[in-house]
Amino acid sequence: MSQEMSMLSASPSSSHHLVVIPPTTTFRNRRLTGSSLIRSRLTMSLDNNNNNNNFSSLLSSVTKLLWGRSLPPGLLVTTVRTAWNSTWQLMMSQLAPSDPTGGYSRPASKFRFSGPPPNGLHLYVGLPCPWAHRTLIVRALKGLEDAVPLSVASPGMDGSWEFKRVGNTGQVISPSLDKANGCKTLKEVYRLRSGGYDGRSTVPMLWNKDSKDVVCNESYDIIQLFNSGLNGLAGNPDLDLSPPELKGKIEEWYQVIYPNVNNGVYRCGFAQSQEAYDRAVNELFCTLDKLEDHLSNSRYLCGDTLTLVDICLFTTLIRFDIAYNVLFKCTKKKLYEYTNLHAYMRDIYQIPKVADTCNFQEIMDGYYITLFPLNPGSIRPIMPSTSEHEILCRPHGRESLSSSTEPVFVK
């Protein structure tokens, strides 16, 4: 997502499989008759499976032959554990670069925006990504759907963002083909720019169709541009998510939210040492506790007005119970256990157009099925009932905390 959802996955390179036979008592005593017996039975097992080429059945037959109903030999378990740990470290070093302590070190965005905004803008996003989700929400609230067309990539099994056609899923934003360049992957789009590009192909990415170049792939730059830089094209230009009198507060809150919550959940999930995880998870929940207390007396982070920093916090909160709590080991508390934070999240979710940017199936698939190093079995758990649309639409009661005029939203 953004940087981290250049996801890794393993895929078989051929139809041949190597069967490793662990040492047994017979092998250790170098008894040829025992070795010949195992080889003979293994050959028969292979012959029986040639018709359906079912490797799982073959593997089951081999394991029953070698150690029956007992657990695998300790030496095999140790060997596999060591091999997996080494492979995991290798994959994680590419997926999530770390500092010397094993803490996740997020790579900086390569393309930063500097105005004025060009014509011919096109937005590329991926639905699992919270950073891309920010841009979708601000684009919707400002009424920029026509001014800034959208292409939605999906995480591929090889770790790249790819484009595919999907069926009609109603109003909720869904994966699509590349509507600007007709490319099959986001990497191909990046490479269209003058001079090419061989870095990380991340979302969100704002593209200039006229010059065939990347305008920006830093989410915070993009939402600031959408908020105030395109008002001449916006359907809802009166909405200001970063009013001048609140810019100082917005920046103060962002300096708390970004390292400890937005990036904090990734520092937990991508930690490569116990020390790094302990540090990240303590900072995360300490910050969530402070936010819970603050939101008991304030409708939004900066008072009565929804701002960009609320959008940035929301896209992490909406993913918390369905992904970060489980997959990223943010297990101290569920968001649902925070009364004020959960109501605050529901408040923003119920703003017109916001729910249409939340595709929960794509979010869960993006984390559980494609983030192979964190979930090798690719088994997607069922979504918590507290994150279902019906629950998120329950009354939040936070209007009572607001003393000013409601923000101007598109109805």
Side-chain angles (χ1 to χ4, degrees), residues 38 66 78 94 107 117 165 172 180 221 254 276 311 377 395 397:
I38 290 178
L66 294 175
T78 302
Q94 296 296 315
R165 187 187 302 277
V172 177
D221 289 356
Y254 193 64
I311 303 302

Side-chain angles (χ1 to χ4, degrees), residues 90-348:
L90 176 63
M91 290 189 291
M92 287 297 291
S93 68
Q94 296 296 315
L95 173 67
S98 65
D99 61 26
T101 69
Y104 174 47
S105 179
R106 180 179 295 279
S109 298
K110 176 71 174 179
F111 301 95
R112 303 298 300 267
F113 173 74
S114 59
N119 296 321
L121 293 176
H122 190 91
L123 180 63
Y124 286 96
V125 300
L127 296 175
C129 174
W131 319 98
H133 195 180
R134 301 174 172 186
T135 67
L136 287 175
I137 293 175
V138 178
R139 172 179 174 268
L141 295 182
K142 291 291 293 188
L144 289 167
E145 294 94 330
D146 293 334
V148 185
L150 178 71
S151 292
V152 182
S154 300
M157 294 307 291
D158 65 348
S160 64
W161 291 104
E162 60 185 29
F163 300 99
K164 61 182 181 182
R165 187 187 302 277
V166 297
N168 186 2
T169 56
Q171 290 184 312
V172 177
I173 295 176
S174 302
S176 71
L177 300 178
D178 177 8
K179 301 173 184 178
N181 295 291
C183 293
K184 294 182 178 180
T185 67
L186 188 63
K187 182 176 292 187
E188 293 178 19
V189 180
Y190 270 89
R191 287 177 175 173
L192 289 177
R193 66 182 304 271
S194 177
Y197 178 70
D198 60 359
R200 295 167 75 105
S201 302
T202 63
V203 293
M205 188 265 276
L206 197 58
W207 178 259
N208 185 334
K209 292 183 291 185
D210 296 338
S211 65
K212 293 287 185 180
D213 203 357
V214 177
V215 176
C216 182
N217 67 352
E218 167 54 50
S219 65
Y220 202 69
D221 289 356
I222 295 174
I223 62 175
Q224 287 180 312
L225 170 63
F226 285 179
N227 178 63
S228 59
L230 301 175
N231 277 336
L233 303 172
N236 195 21
D238 294 333
L239 175 65
D240 189 355
L241 296 167
S242 183
E245 68 274 14
L246 292 180
K247 285 187 182 295
K249 284 187 177 180
I250 291 171
E251 184 59 29
E252 287 178 11
W253 273 115
Y254 193 64
Q255 293 306 315
V256 173
I257 297 301
Y258 172 77
N260 298 328
V261 181
N262 296 150
N263 199 43
V265 293
Y266 285 91
R267 290 170 55 218
C268 294
F270 290 162
Q272 297 179 46
S273 71
Q274 189 67 50
E275 173 192 357
Y277 168 77
D278 290 343
R279 181 171 60 250
V281 79
N282 287 334
E283 291 173 356
L284 168 65
F285 282 98
C286 180
T287 303
L288 291 178
D289 290 341
K290 291 178 179 179
L291 290 169
E292 172 74 2
D293 182 65
H294 174 75
L295 291 170
S296 66
N297 297 302
S298 180
R299 183 170 183 180
Y300 302 113
L301 290 176
C302 297
D304 295 336
T305 305
L306 181 82
T307 66
L308 292 178
V309 74
D310 293 299
I311 303 302
C312 293
L313 178 57
F314 171 81
T315 60
T316 295
L317 298 185
I318 200 69
R319 289 162 172 75
F320 198 90
D321 285 356
I322 64 176
Y324 304 140
N325 176 259
V326 178
L327 190 64
F328 283 10
K329 306 181 185 73
C330 303
T331 48
K332 184 176 181 180
K333 292 176 73 173
K334 293 181 180 296
L335 188 75
Y336 189 72
E337 297 176 63
Y338 287 102
T339 303
N340 296 315
L341 272 169
H342 198 269
Y344 163 84
M345 180 183 71
R346 299 199 310 275
D347 187 0
I348 298 175

